[in-house]
Amino acid sequence: MRTSLPEAPAGSPARAGKRRLPPLVLHILAALGALAVVVVLSLVTDEFTNLRIATVGYYLIAVAGLTLLTGLTGQVSLGHGAFMFIGAYTVALLVRRVPAFPLWADLLLAAAAGGLGGLLAGAAAARLRGPYLAGATLALAVGLPALTRRFQDFLGGSNGLSFTVHSRPAGLVGVVPELRWQTWIVWLSVLIALVFVVNIVRGKLGRTFRAVRDDEVAASLSGIHVGRTKILAFLISAVCGGLAGGLQAFLLGTAAPGSFTPALSLSLLAAVVLGGLGSLWGALWGAIALVYFQAWSEDLADALHLNTDVANNLPLAVYGVILIVVVLAFPRGIQGGFSRLRGLLRRSAEQKETHEKH
């Protein structure tokens, strides 16, 4: 005969030991763990792999911002590369013209500049829906890089702006390679930003975004200002895009319009869908796919000795095929596939446990 132990009183040590840490503390601890993993990976890999790891980092925050905008509020943006353009050129101009500014200030201003662009775009987007919103944001991605040709002396024209950032402390020169240090800085910046994004997504504001996405009329009747909410989502998403562009410029030492074509914006949106719409874990899988599928396609083109035109378009073709296959097999993306697999394993374990009891 089984007997159950009495439940511990509310103020007892047993009950207190089961209390969970505040979400913010959990997110910070998770970010520190992720940073430790990145540091270890950078130590055991070569410089070329370090560059790819850092590239995944800045794409991650860009895709996470777009996930917040598209997955949580339902606003489709085809111009997110424009906010990366703003962030990249902000860092380039600050480094070249105000070299006394520390790197962290440059990155903060890059994020703020991207946010200002998102605020202006969001004010217009709040009045647009569906294909009209997509078309307006695509026009932003097409038109903004063209400004470099209009203001060649200031923005460097089609060649862009090149610069050098000496961010390593003097004590690490000769100890830690420059690219490895840059990888650490990129991921530290990305993880700090992700802590804020995760807290937004899982907090009251995230619930407000979802309410607007699900039913604007019901959200408005419940007291939510729909237009203001959409603008705020654009603002936060653009801040992430500006930071991503600033980190890209910091890593590569250049800001050029050729890096921010409409194809970049479309690739970011495809990464959101591929990883899992509305999931920040999906943003990670999408960023990894964005970097490594292109790298593997380039390696394949080199191995097959394809001509230049085919080799240049092969990564897009491969990425498109993989996107179609994943969406057909897992409509909720890679993260949705993992969730489905986890559910199947859980049900299988429960059925096995029930069978053993009987």
Side-chain angles (χ1 to χ4, degrees):
M1 180 177 179
R2 290 185 177 179
T3 58
S4 59
L5 294 174
E7 186 176 354
S12 68
R15 175 65 65 87
K18 294 182 179 179
R19 291 176 183 170
R20 295 187 62 186
L21 293 172
L24 179 59
V25 175
L26 288 173
H27 298 155
I28 292 174
L29 291 175
L32 291 174
L35 182 60
V37 171
V38 169
V39 170
V40 171
L41 285 175
S42 68
L43 290 173
V44 300
T45 54
D46 58 19
E47 285 198 350
F48 189 65
T49 305
N50 277 197
L51 178 61
R52 287 181 175 176
I53 292 172
T55 304
V56 169
Y58 68 72
Y59 275 143
L60 168 58
I61 191 59
V63 176
L66 189 55
T67 295
L68 184 147
L69 179 68
T70 303
L72 265 69
T73 64
Q75 300 181 88
V76 178
S77 172
L78 299 180
H80 232 60
F83 303 126
M84 291 184 65
F85 169 90
I86 293 173
Y89 271 86
T90 299
V91 167
L93 290 170
L94 286 172
V95 171
R96 288 167 63 98
R97 296 176 180 271
V98 196
F101 270 26
L103 176 62
W104 62 266
D106 293 342
L107 293 175
L108 279 178
L109 288 172
L116 179 60
L119 187 64
L120 297 175
R127 296 173 174 81
L128 300 173
R129 296 182 183 178
Y132 302 104
L133 174 59
T137 53
L138 181 60
L140 183 66
V142 173
L144 202 56
L147 291 176
T148 57
R149 295 192 295 272
R150 178 66 178 81
F151 303 98
Q152 293 190 27
D153 294 338
F154 186 61
L155 299 177
S158 58
N159 294 326
L161 300 174
S162 299
F163 57 93
T164 302
V165 180
H166 300 289
S167 59
R168 276 183 303 176
L172 294 180
V173 176
V175 178
V176 178
E178 179 71 20
L179 188 54
R180 184 173 295 161
W181 171 256
Q182 289 177 314
T183 301
W184 297 351
I185 292 297
V186 168
W187 272 94
L188 176 62
S189 305
V190 167
L191 290 170
I192 291 173
L194 280 177
V195 168
F196 287 101
V197 172
V198 170
N199 278 277
I200 289 171
V201 169
R202 298 190 177 180
K204 180 180 178 181
L205 187 55
R207 293 191 293 272
T208 301
F209 287 158
R210 293 184 186 91
V212 170
R213 176 198 63 191
D214 294 340
D215 194 324
E216 291 186 13
V217 175
S220 181
L221 292 175
S222 66
I224 296 173
H225 194 296
V226 174
R228 191 179 303 159
T229 301
K230 287 185 173 183
I231 293 173
L232 184 57
F234 244 103
L235 170 64
I236 297 170
S237 183
V239 166
C240 294
L243 177 60
L247 290 170
Q248 177 180 340
F250 159 70
L251 181 67
L252 302 180
T254 183
S259 300
F260 306 100
T261 62
L264 171 62
S265 299
L266 296 175
S267 296
L268 292 175
L269 184 60
V272 171
V273 177
L274 180 62
L277 194 63
S279 167
L280 291 179
W281 274 108
L284 174 61
W285 310 133
I288 292 173
L290 196 58
V291 174
Y292 279 92
F293 286 165
Q294 180 174 355
W296 293 334
S297 300
E298 291 172 353
D299 293 341
L300 177 62
D302 291 339
L304 296 177
H305 304 290
L306 300 176
N307 64 55
T308 304
D309 291 336
V310 176
N312 289 339
N313 290 288
L314 183 61
L316 291 175
V318 171
Y319 192 68
V321 170
I322 292 173
L323 177 63
I324 293 171
V325 171
V326 169
V327 170
L328 288 176
F330 307 106
R332 294 172 56 198
I334 296 174
Q335 182 61 25
F338 285 149
S339 299
R340 182 179 176 184
L341 178 60
R342 187 166 57 248
L344 291 174
L345 293 175
R346 186 185 301 115
R347 285 194 293 270
S348 177
E350 290 173 354
Q351 291 173 358
K352 182 179 180 180
E353 184 178 353
T354 303
H355 179 73
E356 290 175 351
K357 285 182 179 179
H358 292 289

